[in-house]
């Protein structure tokens, strides 16, 4: 019998804006807490809900069975993911950074020099024709992270500028499935 795949609908608690809704903020809770718990805590600290005139606040609750969360992003998003994972959340399954880099004096490098635990694997991709975030910057970031104990893979994509490519995204998708296998893949192991 084939296993049916289901998407997980996160429970969430929402604080609506006072006025016209023009923006949203997602406020994530810590390990062992819930969206409702975080909202309650903030309410206790402020003696009222955190509210804005135009911003809706969403406090999602991660199900306890959900395995965190690969982290990753494109350009600055990849940089932010590396900072978040290697400085604060070394318990994630992995990190991906597409067309991203860290500067030579990055706080990530300083944090990793003090780290003694198992570090999340890094999957990094970069176009060789990128003129905004140079390919060499991505390579240098990857080399530096490797020297500090990160298991890092670097994939170059010829003639790709500061953009996403289909080949890159297909490679990323395959990597994601090795890090976060579905039920069928787990049964095969």
């Amino acid at each position: 019998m084939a296993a049916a795949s289901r998407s997980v609908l996160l429970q969430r608690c929402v604080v609506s804006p006072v006025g016209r809704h023009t923006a949203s903020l997602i406020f994530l809770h810590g390990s062992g807490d819930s969206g409702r718990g975080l909202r309650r805590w903030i309410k206790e600290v402020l003696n009222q809900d955190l509210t804005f005139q135009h911003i809706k606040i969403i406090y999602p609750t991660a199900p306890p069975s959900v395995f965190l969360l690969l982290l990753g992003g494109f350009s600055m998003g990849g940089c932010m993911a590396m900072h978040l994972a290697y400085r604060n959340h070394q318990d994630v399954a992995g990190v991906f950074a597409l067309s991203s880099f860290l500067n030579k004096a990055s706080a990530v490098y300083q944090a990793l020099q003090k780290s003694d635990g198992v570090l999340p694997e890094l999957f990094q991709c970069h176009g060789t024709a990128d003129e905004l975030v140079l390919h060499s910057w991505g390579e240098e970031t990857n080399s530096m992270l490797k020297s500090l104990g990160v298991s890092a893979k670097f994939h170059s994509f010829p003639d790709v500028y500061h953009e996403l490519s289909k080949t890159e995204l297909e490679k990323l998708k395959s990597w994601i499935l090795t890090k976060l296998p579905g039920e069928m893949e787990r049964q095969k192991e």
Side-chain angles (χ1 to χ4, degrees):
M1 184 162 115
S5 70
R6 333 174 272 184
S7 60
V8 175
L9 183 61
L10 294 179
Q11 292 180 351
R12 66 185 185 280
C13 138
V14 176
V15 177
S16 296
V18 177
R20 186 171 156 260
H21 176 212
T22 60
S24 296
L25 164 69
I26 298 173
F27 208 135
L28 303 175
H29 64 79
S31 180
D33 202 352
S34 67
R36 244 181 240 304
L38 178 58
R39 179 184 179 188
R40 197 171 29 249
W41 186 17
I42 290 170
K43 208 172 182 176
E44 286 174 17
V45 171
L46 296 176
N47 291 319
Q48 64 182 25
D49 256 325
L50 178 62
T51 59
F52 296 92
Q53 186 67 29
H54 65 291
I55 301 171
K56 176 198 291 186
I57 304 174
I58 303 164
Y59 298 95
T61 298
S65 62
V66 171
F67 183 65
L68 185 64
L69 180 300
L70 292 175
L71 289 174
F74 175 80
S75 194
M76 183 59 76
C79 176
M80 290 173 61
M82 289 186 280
H83 273 271
L84 187 58
Y86 295 120
R87 292 176 64 197
N88 302 308
H89 291 283
Q90 294 181 358
D91 57 344
V92 298
V95 182
F96 64 90
L98 313 175
S99 300
S100 304
F101 80 105
L102 298 171
N103 66 41
K104 292 180 185 200
S106 175
V108 171
Y109 303 142
Q110 296 165 21
L112 289 175
Q113 288 172 347
K114 300 172 190 167
S115 177
D116 59 359
V118 176
L119 300 169
E121 179 182 329
L122 173 65
F123 178 91
Q124 198 173 357
C125 297
H126 216 110
T128 60
D130 192 336
E131 296 171 341
L132 185 62
V133 175
L134 300 182
H135 181 267
S136 61
W137 298 351
E139 284 183 313
E140 186 177 302
T141 296
N142 193 276
S143 295
M144 187 65 170
L145 290 171
K146 278 182 180 175
S147 76
L148 293 168
V150 174
S151 172
K153 296 177 180 153
F154 189 85
H155 303 277
S156 297
F157 293 88
D159 304 318
V160 173
Y161 294 89
H162 195 68
E163 60 191 344
L164 296 172
S165 74
K166 183 176 181 181
T167 309
E168 175 183 30
L169 291 175
E170 288 169 348
K171 198 175 259 308
L172 174 62
K173 184 177 178 181
S174 295
W175 179 78
I176 288 170
L177 289 173
T178 65
K179 302 306 287 179
L180 301 175
E183 289 301 316
M184 293 299 284
E185 289 80 9
R186 279 194 213 118
Q187 290 174 0
K188 291 177 188 173
E189 293 177 349

